[in-house]
Amino acid sequence: MSAEGLVSEFEKIVGRKNVLTKESRTAYYRSGFRSGFGGALAVVFPGTLLEQWLVLQACVEGNCAIIMQATKTGLTEGSCPSGFDYDRPVVVINITRVKRLILLDGGKQVVALPGSTLHELTQELQKVKRAPHSVIGSTTIGATIIGGIANNSGGALCKRGSAYTELALYAQVDKDGKLNLVNHLGIRNLGDTPEEILARLEQGDISEDDVEDTDKSASDRHYKDRIRNLDSELPNRFNADPALLHEVSGSAGKVAAFAVRVDSYPLPERKQVFYLGTNDPAHFVTLRQHILRNFKELPDMCEYMNRPIFDTAARYGKDVFLSIKYLGTKRLPKAYALKSTVEYHLNKVPFLPKYLPDQFLYFVSRLFPQHLPKRLLNYRDRFEHYLILSMSDDGIDEARQYLAEEWGQIDGVECFECTEKEQEAALLHRFAAAGAAIRYQTLHQKTTEEVLALDIALLGNDPEWVESPPPEIAEHLDLGLFYGHFMCHVFHHDYIFKKGTDVEAVKAKMLERLDSKGAKYPAEHNVGHMYEAEQTLKKFYEELDPTNTFNPGIGKTDKKRRVVFT
């Protein structure tokens, strides 16, 4: 089928307004959240599960490379085309219009359709006093449930690990090039044909008798045990962990998911955030080892920041902080899409600086008064390292007693219990840190190279968890920002190098150092097009997608169509 014929077929299925082909209109969907860009014949927006199935059929029959896309919050370029060197037409299928949440057993489990977001799930579960299986930074800006499952997204929760389920409904292209619908949702009587199954599921007409009582996992239920093992020979969570690669889970878009079934958890009755400061990171090691070995109740979250990221987030992430606080999270995904569209057009004007909207937002935010509470600023002046320790229910008194009677008696450490206002500010500030390096580099683009962002899973007993770059790297460094999920020992390192630095060469040296100490990377953002997949992960991708139809090139694999000989 010709390119024109394919586009015409898409328009018949989803309607003309839901098929984008013009470069200026598809630019946002052909780009990654932080980086990455490529070509595509079309971006298609199905509105129902059946439309999604029919679009997939047309793509397979038209010998297209297919990229499944949700809200595009991934940070490693995995949800957009990568370059213009594919051997066949690329079609991006954006599933954000296909939304529905179906609560099972009073909300103890949920069936989520492709476009349903973690934010929507959180709101829906609050009505039945439950919490979602996963909480990640991009929950706030529209990350989808299925996107998280497909990427084994990590997040901040100490009691629950990477997003994971063994219960899913998905489409797969087999070795003969045939599109098949695989139903492993564990729900009876949905029908026999794809059309029947998809229609029945979208109606949400599921009785309690239809839900199978299965021993298959709908979340990473064993993480709370793994995180306590301080002497494990492997980090407690990382993307290529073979134990967490199962069909849709960890698939990185190598299949097309239609629905997943996930666990939920009881909401805590009480919450308390403790803010801790020290100038000696060894004091935090003492605290971590005691909590993981002795506490009956694990923390809900425990987030680490150093002084440079505190300062950078306070200045360059201020507009993000204020946007979430005053505009709310519901409007943010559309706002990001609008900003990206404006950027695309402005970046084409030769005499204008790149990413002008970012610069505008930065300067506008400077007009607002100080947004961080005094006690957080006081700790910033006195300490170099900070922890945001969030406890709930019985864990609150457990932490309160330990901090007062043991850890708090160590010379050079301090902590306080946050008020509700301080708690909100501390967590929003930590979230704003995730994009602060990008904003900093944008404002200093004439003197710096692009940001090198690494998310790293360290061994539980790694004594060198605070990064200290060697001289041959430090001499090229303009700014190094370190933050992360402290109990999990998963850290984010954002490096901004001076103009003229060979960033790829520096990155190779850094990865060699990480390999030598048994670290794993990426820890929670998937390989995308920025990392080479480990052999285990490459094999998993090939088994899921033997013809290389979906997301070709992911993990630096080959982009060409594979012919399977039998």
Side-chain angles (χ1 to χ4, degrees), residues 29-38 67-69 72-83 86 151 252 438 450-453 504 507 522 525-531 551-556 559:
Y29 304 98
R30 294 186 290 111
S31 62
F33 186 81
R34 281 184 174 173
S35 61
F37 191 71
I67 296 176
M68 302 301 300
Q69 184 183 86
K72 218 166 57 68
T73 60
L75 301 179
T76 55
E77 307 177 4
S79 57
C80 69
S82 180
Y86 293 85
N151 289 297
I438 299 293
E450 293 291 328
V451 175
L452 171 59
E504 285 301 314
K507 180 180 177 180
H525 290 156
N526 215 305
V527 290
H529 290 285
M530 297 180 70
Y531 296 91
N551 217 356
I554 199 78
K556 298 189 180 295
K559 290 181 180 177

mmCIF file of all heavy atoms in Angstrom, residues 29-38 67-69 72-83 86 151 252 438 450-453 504 507 522 525-531 551-556 559:
data_model
loop_
_atom_site.group_PDB
_atom_site.id
_atom_site.type_symbol
_atom_site.label_atom_id
_atom_site.label_comp_id
_atom_site.label_asym_id
_atom_site.label_seq_id
_atom_site.Cartn_x
_atom_site.Cartn_y
_atom_site.Cartn_z
ATOM 1 N N TYR A 29 5.051 14.995 18.697
ATOM 2 C CA TYR A 29 4.909 13.553 18.892
ATOM 3 C C TYR A 29 6.099 12.780 18.325
ATOM 4 O O TYR A 29 6.279 11.602 18.652
ATOM 5 C CB TYR A 29 3.598 13.074 18.252
ATOM 6 C CG TYR A 29 2.408 13.821 18.798
ATOM 7 C CD1 TYR A 29 1.863 14.903 18.117
ATOM 8 C CD2 TYR A 29 1.872 13.486 20.036
ATOM 9 C CE1 TYR A 29 0.792 15.615 18.636
ATOM 10 C CE2 TYR A 29 0.806 14.192 20.565
ATOM 11 C CZ TYR A 29 0.268 15.255 19.867
ATOM 12 O OH TYR A 29 -0.774 15.965 20.397
ATOM 13 N N ARG A 30 6.915 13.448 17.521
ATOM 14 C CA ARG A 30 8.120 12.816 16.985
ATOM 15 C C ARG A 30 9.355 13.158 17.800
ATOM 16 O O ARG A 30 10.477 12.860 17.396
ATOM 17 C CB ARG A 30 8.322 13.232 15.520
ATOM 18 C CG ARG A 30 7.248 12.719 14.590
ATOM 19 C CD ARG A 30 7.540 13.029 13.115
ATOM 20 N NE ARG A 30 7.415 14.444 12.799
ATOM 21 C CZ ARG A 30 8.428 15.236 12.488
ATOM 22 N NH1 ARG A 30 9.669 14.760 12.476
ATOM 23 N NH2 ARG A 30 8.223 16.503 12.192
ATOM 24 N N SER A 31 9.146 13.785 18.961
ATOM 25 C CA SER A 31 10.272 14.182 19.812
ATOM 26 C C SER A 31 10.114 13.576 21.193
ATOM 27 O O SER A 31 9.001 13.266 21.639
ATOM 28 C CB SER A 31 10.337 15.704 19.926
ATOM 29 O OG SER A 31 9.169 16.213 20.541
ATOM 30 N N GLY A 32 11.240 13.414 21.889
ATOM 31 C CA GLY A 32 11.210 12.902 23.248
ATOM 32 C C GLY A 32 10.988 14.015 24.251
ATOM 33 O O GLY A 32 11.000 15.205 23.923
ATOM 34 N N PHE A 33 10.801 13.636 25.504
ATOM 35 C CA PHE A 33 10.518 14.619 26.550
ATOM 36 C C PHE A 33 11.712 15.536 26.773
ATOM 37 O O PHE A 33 11.568 16.750 26.886
ATOM 38 C CB PHE A 33 10.162 13.888 27.854
ATOM 39 C CG PHE A 33 9.723 14.797 28.965
ATOM 40 C CD1 PHE A 33 8.440 15.276 29.015
ATOM 41 C CD2 PHE A 33 10.606 15.181 29.961
ATOM 42 C CE1 PHE A 33 8.022 16.117 30.032
ATOM 43 C CE2 PHE A 33 10.210 16.025 30.983
ATOM 44 C CZ PHE A 33 8.911 16.492 31.022
ATOM 45 N N ARG A 34 12.910 14.949 26.846
ATOM 46 C CA ARG A 34 14.121 15.746 27.025
ATOM 47 C C ARG A 34 14.920 15.856 25.740
ATOM 48 O O ARG A 34 15.500 16.889 25.441
ATOM 49 C CB ARG A 34 15.014 15.113 28.102
ATOM 50 C CG ARG A 34 14.597 15.391 29.530
ATOM 51 C CD ARG A 34 15.623 14.802 30.486
ATOM 52 N NE ARG A 34 15.351 15.165 31.868
ATOM 53 C CZ ARG A 34 16.016 14.677 32.912
ATOM 54 N NH1 ARG A 34 16.982 13.799 32.717
ATOM 55 N NH2 ARG A 34 15.718 15.041 34.136
ATOM 56 N N SER A 35 14.978 14.753 25.010
ATOM 57 C CA SER A 35 15.791 14.714 23.797
ATOM 58 C C SER A 35 15.247 13.625 22.896
ATOM 59 O O SER A 35 14.384 12.843 23.286
ATOM 60 C CB SER A 35 17.259 14.440 24.144
ATOM 61 O OG SER A 35 17.388 13.174 24.795
ATOM 62 N N GLY A 36 15.780 13.559 21.681
ATOM 63 C CA GLY A 36 15.337 12.552 20.724
ATOM 64 C C GLY A 36 14.384 13.144 19.696
ATOM 65 O O GLY A 36 13.523 13.970 20.031
ATOM 66 N N PHE A 37 14.551 12.721 18.443
ATOM 67 C CA PHE A 37 13.702 13.241 17.369
ATOM 68 C C PHE A 37 13.852 12.327 16.172
ATOM 69 O O PHE A 37 14.904 11.734 15.948
ATOM 70 C CB PHE A 37 14.120 14.673 17.012
ATOM 71 C CG PHE A 37 13.154 15.387 16.104
ATOM 72 C CD1 PHE A 37 11.917 15.794 16.573
ATOM 73 C CD2 PHE A 37 13.497 15.645 14.785
ATOM 74 C CE1 PHE A 37 11.025 16.472 15.737
ATOM 75 C CE2 PHE A 37 12.612 16.319 13.945
ATOM 76 C CZ PHE A 37 11.379 16.731 14.422
ATOM 77 N N GLY A 38 12.781 12.188 15.396
ATOM 78 C CA GLY A 38 12.850 11.351 14.218
ATOM 79 C C GLY A 38 11.704 11.604 13.268
ATOM 80 O O GLY A 38 10.850 12.460 13.505
ATOM 81 N N ILE A 67 5.423 2.602 16.432
ATOM 82 C CA ILE A 67 5.848 3.114 17.734
ATOM 83 C C ILE A 67 4.606 3.445 18.545
ATOM 84 O O ILE A 67 3.831 4.337 18.175
ATOM 85 C CB ILE A 67 6.751 4.360 17.577
ATOM 86 C CG1 ILE A 67 8.037 3.970 16.860
ATOM 87 C CG2 ILE A 67 7.058 4.979 18.943
ATOM 88 C CD1 ILE A 67 8.953 5.116 16.562
ATOM 89 N N MET A 68 4.405 2.697 19.628
ATOM 90 C CA MET A 68 3.292 2.948 20.529
ATOM 91 C C MET A 68 3.686 4.088 21.467
ATOM 92 O O MET A 68 4.759 4.071 22.068
ATOM 93 C CB MET A 68 2.943 1.693 21.330
ATOM 94 C CG MET A 68 2.585 0.489 20.493
ATOM 95 S SD MET A 68 1.165 0.764 19.388
ATOM 96 C CE MET A 68 -0.137 1.156 20.568
ATOM 97 N N GLN A 69 2.799 5.049 21.611
ATOM 98 C CA GLN A 69 3.118 6.246 22.378
ATOM 99 C C GLN A 69 1.957 6.635 23.269
ATOM 100 O O GLN A 69 0.797 6.542 22.879
ATOM 101 C CB GLN A 69 3.431 7.403 21.422
ATOM 102 C CG GLN A 69 3.875 8.684 22.085
ATOM 103 C CD GLN A 69 4.079 9.781 21.056
ATOM 104 O OE1 GLN A 69 3.130 10.472 20.689
ATOM 105 N NE2 GLN A 69 5.306 9.932 20.570
ATOM 106 N N LYS A 72 4.288 10.457 26.613
ATOM 107 C CA LYS A 72 5.636 10.857 26.226
ATOM 108 C C LYS A 72 6.430 11.458 27.377
ATOM 109 O O LYS A 72 7.182 12.415 27.200
ATOM 110 C CB LYS A 72 5.526 11.867 25.073
ATOM 111 C CG LYS A 72 6.563 11.739 24.001
ATOM 112 C CD LYS A 72 6.205 12.522 22.747
ATOM 113 C CE LYS A 72 5.970 13.973 22.990
ATOM 114 N NZ LYS A 72 7.169 14.713 23.369
ATOM 115 N N THR A 73 6.284 10.886 28.571
ATOM 116 C CA THR A 73 7.010 11.417 29.726
ATOM 117 C C THR A 73 8.331 10.691 29.975
ATOM 118 O O THR A 73 9.062 11.042 30.891
ATOM 119 C CB THR A 73 6.148 11.337 30.997
ATOM 120 O OG1 THR A 73 5.800 9.969 31.248
ATOM 121 C CG2 THR A 73 4.889 12.161 30.858
ATOM 122 N N GLY A 74 8.642 9.664 29.181
ATOM 123 C CA GLY A 74 9.898 8.941 29.348
ATOM 124 C C GLY A 74 11.099 9.827 29.048
ATOM 125 O O GLY A 74 11.023 10.742 28.222
ATOM 126 N N LEU A 75 12.217 9.530 29.695
ATOM 127 C CA LEU A 75 13.390 10.403 29.615
ATOM 128 C C LEU A 75 14.530 9.837 28.771
ATOM 129 O O LEU A 75 15.609 10.426 28.734
ATOM 130 C CB LEU A 75 13.897 10.699 31.030
ATOM 131 C CG LEU A 75 12.900 11.379 31.972
ATOM 132 C CD1 LEU A 75 13.530 11.597 33.336
ATOM 133 C CD2 LEU A 75 12.397 12.688 31.396
ATOM 134 N N THR A 76 14.305 8.702 28.100
ATOM 135 C CA THR A 76 15.406 8.096 27.355
ATOM 136 C C THR A 76 15.075 7.904 25.867
ATOM 137 O O THR A 76 15.621 7.026 25.216
ATOM 138 C CB THR A 76 15.800 6.735 27.977
ATOM 139 O OG1 THR A 76 14.644 5.897 28.048
ATOM 140 C CG2 THR A 76 16.383 6.922 29.363
ATOM 141 N N GLU A 77 14.130 8.704 25.353
ATOM 142 C CA GLU A 77 13.817 8.767 23.921
ATOM 143 C C GLU A 77 13.107 7.522 23.404
ATOM 144 O O GLU A 77 13.035 7.310 22.191
ATOM 145 C CB GLU A 77 15.092 9.020 23.097
ATOM 146 C CG GLU A 77 15.888 10.227 23.538
ATOM 147 C CD GLU A 77 17.188 10.416 22.765
ATOM 148 O OE1 GLU A 77 17.439 9.638 21.815
ATOM 149 O OE2 GLU A 77 17.952 11.333 23.107
ATOM 150 N N GLY A 78 12.545 6.704 24.295
ATOM 151 C CA GLY A 78 11.974 5.434 23.878
ATOM 152 C C GLY A 78 10.567 5.493 23.324
ATOM 153 O O GLY A 78 10.074 4.491 22.804
ATOM 154 N N SER A 79 9.894 6.642 23.386
ATOM 155 C CA SER A 79 8.509 6.718 22.911
ATOM 156 C C SER A 79 8.374 7.631 21.699
ATOM 157 O O SER A 79 7.300 8.154 21.423
ATOM 158 C CB SER A 79 7.595 7.210 24.037
ATOM 159 O OG SER A 79 8.027 8.468 24.529
ATOM 160 N N CYS A 80 9.474 7.813 20.981
ATOM 161 C CA CYS A 80 9.424 8.609 19.749
ATOM 162 C C CYS A 80 10.369 7.982 18.728
ATOM 163 O O CYS A 80 11.234 7.179 19.079
ATOM 164 C CB CYS A 80 9.814 10.058 20.027
ATOM 165 S SG CYS A 80 11.564 10.300 20.455
ATOM 166 N N PRO A 81 10.203 8.327 17.449
ATOM 167 C CA PRO A 81 11.161 7.833 16.453
ATOM 168 C C PRO A 81 12.564 8.341 16.758
ATOM 169 O O PRO A 81 12.745 9.400 17.353
ATOM 170 C CB PRO A 81 10.636 8.424 15.135
ATOM 171 C CG PRO A 81 9.224 8.825 15.411
ATOM 172 C CD PRO A 81 9.160 9.177 16.854
ATOM 173 N N SER A 82 13.557 7.573 16.344
ATOM 174 C CA SER A 82 14.953 7.958 16.566
ATOM 175 C C SER A 82 15.648 8.089 15.217
ATOM 176 O O SER A 82 16.065 7.106 14.610
ATOM 177 C CB SER A 82 15.658 6.906 17.427
ATOM 178 O OG SER A 82 17.005 7.256 17.645
ATOM 179 N N GLY A 83 15.730 9.305 14.714
ATOM 180 C CA GLY A 83 16.389 9.542 13.448
ATOM 181 C C GLY A 83 15.478 9.299 12.251
ATOM 182 O O GLY A 83 14.258 9.154 12.377
ATOM 183 N N TYR A 86 15.063 4.588 9.180
ATOM 184 C CA TYR A 86 14.294 3.330 9.211
ATOM 185 C C TYR A 86 14.151 2.791 7.790
ATOM 186 O O TYR A 86 14.176 3.547 6.809
ATOM 187 C CB TYR A 86 12.917 3.570 9.813
ATOM 188 C CG TYR A 86 12.943 3.937 11.287
ATOM 189 C CD1 TYR A 86 13.128 5.254 11.697
ATOM 190 C CD2 TYR A 86 12.779 2.961 12.268
ATOM 191 C CE1 TYR A 86 13.150 5.592 13.046
ATOM 192 C CE2 TYR A 86 12.800 3.293 13.622
ATOM 193 C CZ TYR A 86 12.992 4.610 13.998
ATOM 194 O OH TYR A 86 13.018 4.945 15.331
ATOM 195 N N ASN A 151 7.653 0.118 30.748
ATOM 196 C CA ASN A 151 9.017 0.583 30.982
ATOM 197 C C ASN A 151 9.552 0.181 32.354
ATOM 198 O O ASN A 151 10.623 0.645 32.753
ATOM 199 C CB ASN A 151 9.076 2.100 30.822
ATOM 200 C CG ASN A 151 8.922 2.527 29.381
ATOM 201 O OD1 ASN A 151 9.747 2.187 28.546
ATOM 202 N ND2 ASN A 151 7.861 3.231 29.070
ATOM 203 N N ALA A 252 8.905 -2.239 26.673
ATOM 204 C CA ALA A 252 9.392 -1.036 25.972
ATOM 205 C C ALA A 252 8.696 -0.843 24.631
ATOM 206 O O ALA A 252 9.303 -0.392 23.662
ATOM 207 C CB ALA A 252 10.906 -1.100 25.794
ATOM 208 N N ILE A 438 18.022 20.435 32.851
ATOM 209 C CA ILE A 438 17.686 20.818 31.484
ATOM 210 C C ILE A 438 17.494 22.330 31.389
ATOM 211 O O ILE A 438 17.992 22.985 30.469
ATOM 212 C CB ILE A 438 16.401 20.108 31.027
ATOM 213 C CG1 ILE A 438 16.596 18.583 31.056
ATOM 214 C CG2 ILE A 438 15.992 20.570 29.641
ATOM 215 C CD1 ILE A 438 17.584 18.074 30.060
ATOM 216 N N GLU A 450 24.958 19.523 25.989
ATOM 217 C CA GLU A 450 23.691 18.948 26.421
ATOM 218 C C GLU A 450 23.868 18.160 27.721
ATOM 219 O O GLU A 450 24.955 17.643 28.007
ATOM 220 C CB GLU A 450 23.128 18.011 25.341
ATOM 221 C CG GLU A 450 22.709 18.718 24.054
ATOM 222 C CD GLU A 450 21.494 19.598 24.228
ATOM 223 O OE1 GLU A 450 20.633 19.255 25.060
ATOM 224 O OE2 GLU A 450 21.411 20.636 23.545
ATOM 225 N N VAL A 451 22.786 18.046 28.482
ATOM 226 C CA VAL A 451 22.826 17.356 29.772
ATOM 227 C C VAL A 451 23.067 15.864 29.570
ATOM 228 O O VAL A 451 22.461 15.232 28.691
ATOM 229 C CB VAL A 451 21.518 17.569 30.540
ATOM 230 C CG1 VAL A 451 21.507 16.753 31.837
ATOM 231 C CG2 VAL A 451 21.310 19.041 30.842
ATOM 232 N N LEU A 452 23.958 15.304 30.364
ATOM 233 C CA LEU A 452 24.125 13.859 30.440
ATOM 234 C C LEU A 452 23.407 13.398 31.706
ATOM 235 O O LEU A 452 23.814 13.730 32.820
ATOM 236 C CB LEU A 452 25.601 13.480 30.506
ATOM 237 C CG LEU A 452 25.911 12.006 30.795
ATOM 238 C CD1 LEU A 452 25.306 11.104 29.729
ATOM 239 C CD2 LEU A 452 27.413 11.779 30.897
ATOM 240 N N ALA A 453 22.301 12.684 31.532
ATOM 241 C CA ALA A 453 21.486 12.251 32.667
ATOM 242 C C ALA A 453 21.585 10.736 32.814
ATOM 243 O O ALA A 453 21.284 9.990 31.880
ATOM 244 C CB ALA A 453 20.029 12.667 32.466
ATOM 245 N N GLU A 504 30.177 11.996 24.835
ATOM 246 C CA GLU A 504 30.082 10.546 24.643
ATOM 247 C C GLU A 504 31.304 9.832 25.227
ATOM 248 O O GLU A 504 31.191 8.764 25.823
ATOM 249 C CB GLU A 504 29.917 10.215 23.164
ATOM 250 C CG GLU A 504 28.532 10.495 22.623
ATOM 251 C CD GLU A 504 27.444 9.721 23.363
ATOM 252 O OE1 GLU A 504 27.630 8.499 23.591
ATOM 253 O OE2 GLU A 504 26.422 10.324 23.728
ATOM 254 N N LYS A 507 30.929 9.932 28.971
ATOM 255 C CA LYS A 507 29.884 8.983 29.371
ATOM 256 C C LYS A 507 30.444 7.566 29.397
ATOM 257 O O LYS A 507 30.162 6.794 30.326
ATOM 258 C CB LYS A 507 28.704 9.070 28.410
ATOM 259 C CG LYS A 507 27.559 8.110 28.739
ATOM 260 C CD LYS A 507 26.423 8.259 27.742
ATOM 261 C CE LYS A 507 25.304 7.255 28.022
ATOM 262 N NZ LYS A 507 24.187 7.385 27.059
ATOM 263 N N PRO A 522 20.061 1.667 32.771
ATOM 264 C CA PRO A 522 19.262 2.576 33.577
ATOM 265 C C PRO A 522 18.507 1.814 34.665
ATOM 266 O O PRO A 522 18.211 0.626 34.511
ATOM 267 C CB PRO A 522 18.291 3.192 32.572
ATOM 268 C CG PRO A 522 18.147 2.143 31.520
ATOM 269 C CD PRO A 522 19.472 1.464 31.416
ATOM 270 N N HIS A 525 14.205 4.107 33.981
ATOM 271 C CA HIS A 525 13.690 4.845 32.834
ATOM 272 C C HIS A 525 13.740 4.045 31.543
ATOM 273 O O HIS A 525 13.445 4.569 30.484
ATOM 274 C CB HIS A 525 14.482 6.148 32.647
ATOM 275 C CG HIS A 525 14.211 7.153 33.711
ATOM 276 N ND1 HIS A 525 15.109 8.150 34.041
ATOM 277 C CD2 HIS A 525 13.159 7.317 34.534
ATOM 278 C CE1 HIS A 525 14.609 8.886 35.022
ATOM 279 N NE2 HIS A 525 13.442 8.393 35.339
ATOM 280 N N ASN A 526 14.131 2.808 31.607
ATOM 281 C CA ASN A 526 14.300 1.928 30.456
ATOM 282 C C ASN A 526 15.407 2.428 29.536
ATOM 283 O O ASN A 526 15.842 3.563 29.608
ATOM 284 C CB ASN A 526 12.994 1.721 29.684
ATOM 285 C CG ASN A 526 12.910 0.321 29.120
ATOM 286 O OD1 ASN A 526 13.796 -0.123 28.404
ATOM 287 N ND2 ASN A 526 11.857 -0.391 29.460
ATOM 288 N N VAL A 527 15.862 1.537 28.657
ATOM 289 C CA VAL A 527 17.031 1.842 27.831
ATOM 290 C C VAL A 527 16.743 2.890 26.769
ATOM 291 O O VAL A 527 17.627 3.657 26.389
ATOM 292 C CB VAL A 527 17.588 0.558 27.171
ATOM 293 C CG1 VAL A 527 18.224 -0.333 28.208
ATOM 294 C CG2 VAL A 527 16.489 -0.190 26.409
ATOM 295 N N GLY A 528 15.497 2.919 26.268
ATOM 296 C CA GLY A 528 15.175 3.859 25.204
ATOM 297 C C GLY A 528 16.159 3.752 24.051
ATOM 298 O O GLY A 528 16.610 2.663 23.686
ATOM 299 N N HIS A 529 16.521 4.898 23.491
ATOM 300 C CA HIS A 529 17.534 4.940 22.436
ATOM 301 C C HIS A 529 18.854 5.501 22.958
ATOM 302 O O HIS A 529 19.758 5.797 22.176
ATOM 303 C CB HIS A 529 17.040 5.790 21.266
ATOM 304 C CG HIS A 529 15.928 5.152 20.493
ATOM 305 N ND1 HIS A 529 16.117 4.108 19.623
ATOM 306 C CD2 HIS A 529 14.595 5.398 20.490
ATOM 307 C CE1 HIS A 529 14.960 3.736 19.098
ATOM 308 N NE2 HIS A 529 14.023 4.510 19.612
ATOM 309 N N MET A 530 18.980 5.599 24.296
ATOM 310 C CA MET A 530 20.172 6.203 24.884
ATOM 311 C C MET A 530 21.141 5.191 25.472
ATOM 312 O O MET A 530 22.309 5.498 25.683
ATOM 313 C CB MET A 530 19.758 7.213 25.968
ATOM 314 C CG MET A 530 18.952 8.374 25.422
ATOM 315 S SD MET A 530 18.468 9.551 26.685
ATOM 316 C CE MET A 530 20.045 10.295 27.081
ATOM 317 N N TYR A 531 20.664 3.991 25.784
ATOM 318 C CA TYR A 531 21.507 2.968 26.384
ATOM 319 C C TYR A 531 21.470 1.707 25.518
ATOM 320 O O TYR A 531 20.450 1.390 24.892
ATOM 321 C CB TYR A 531 21.013 2.587 27.778
ATOM 322 C CG TYR A 531 21.065 3.678 28.809
ATOM 323 C CD1 TYR A 531 19.972 4.514 29.018
ATOM 324 C CD2 TYR A 531 22.194 3.862 29.602
ATOM 325 C CE1 TYR A 531 19.999 5.502 29.981
ATOM 326 C CE2 TYR A 531 22.229 4.849 30.575
ATOM 327 C CZ TYR A 531 21.130 5.665 30.754
ATOM 328 O OH TYR A 531 21.153 6.645 31.713
ATOM 329 N N ASN A 551 8.719 -0.546 17.689
ATOM 330 C CA ASN A 551 9.810 0.235 18.282
ATOM 331 C C ASN A 551 11.201 -0.271 17.856
ATOM 332 O O ASN A 551 12.065 -0.538 18.702
ATOM 333 C CB ASN A 551 9.698 0.238 19.811
ATOM 334 C CG ASN A 551 10.100 1.576 20.414
ATOM 335 O OD1 ASN A 551 10.540 2.477 19.700
ATOM 336 N ND2 ASN A 551 9.964 1.702 21.715
ATOM 337 N N PRO A 552 11.439 -0.374 16.554
ATOM 338 C CA PRO A 552 12.751 -0.859 16.093
ATOM 339 C C PRO A 552 13.877 0.046 16.586
ATOM 340 O O PRO A 552 13.728 1.266 16.644
ATOM 341 C CB PRO A 552 12.633 -0.794 14.569
ATOM 342 C CG PRO A 552 11.174 -0.720 14.274
ATOM 343 C CD PRO A 552 10.557 -0.016 15.435
ATOM 344 N N GLY A 553 15.000 -0.563 16.936
ATOM 345 C CA GLY A 553 16.166 0.194 17.352
ATOM 346 C C GLY A 553 16.263 0.452 18.840
ATOM 347 O O GLY A 553 17.267 0.990 19.318
ATOM 348 N N ILE A 554 15.235 0.075 19.586
ATOM 349 C CA ILE A 554 15.248 0.320 21.031
ATOM 350 C C ILE A 554 16.436 -0.406 21.656
ATOM 351 O O ILE A 554 16.792 -1.518 21.258
ATOM 352 C CB ILE A 554 13.911 -0.155 21.659
ATOM 353 C CG1 ILE A 554 13.679 0.490 23.023
ATOM 354 C CG2 ILE A 554 13.822 -1.652 21.751
ATOM 355 C CD1 ILE A 554 13.187 1.897 22.931
ATOM 356 N N GLY A 555 17.085 0.228 22.622
ATOM 357 C CA GLY A 555 18.252 -0.378 23.257
ATOM 358 C C GLY A 555 19.446 -0.500 22.332
ATOM 359 O O GLY A 555 20.301 -1.369 22.504
ATOM 360 N N LYS A 556 19.504 0.393 21.313
ATOM 361 C CA LYS A 556 20.577 0.394 20.310
ATOM 362 C C LYS A 556 20.643 -0.929 19.534
ATOM 363 O O LYS A 556 21.723 -1.403 19.161
ATOM 364 C CB LYS A 556 21.933 0.738 20.945
ATOM 365 C CG LYS A 556 21.970 2.143 21.565
ATOM 366 C CD LYS A 556 23.366 2.528 21.982
ATOM 367 C CE LYS A 556 23.405 3.923 22.596
ATOM 368 N NZ LYS A 556 23.055 4.986 21.646
ATOM 369 N N LYS A 559 17.444 -1.513 13.493
ATOM 370 C CA LYS A 559 16.134 -0.957 13.142
ATOM 371 C C LYS A 559 15.446 -1.721 12.013
ATOM 372 O O LYS A 559 14.263 -1.524 11.754
ATOM 373 C CB LYS A 559 16.289 0.517 12.721
ATOM 374 C CG LYS A 559 16.643 1.466 13.845
ATOM 375 C CD LYS A 559 16.746 2.893 13.314
ATOM 376 C CE LYS A 559 17.106 3.865 14.428
ATOM 377 N NZ LYS A 559 17.288 5.238 13.905
#
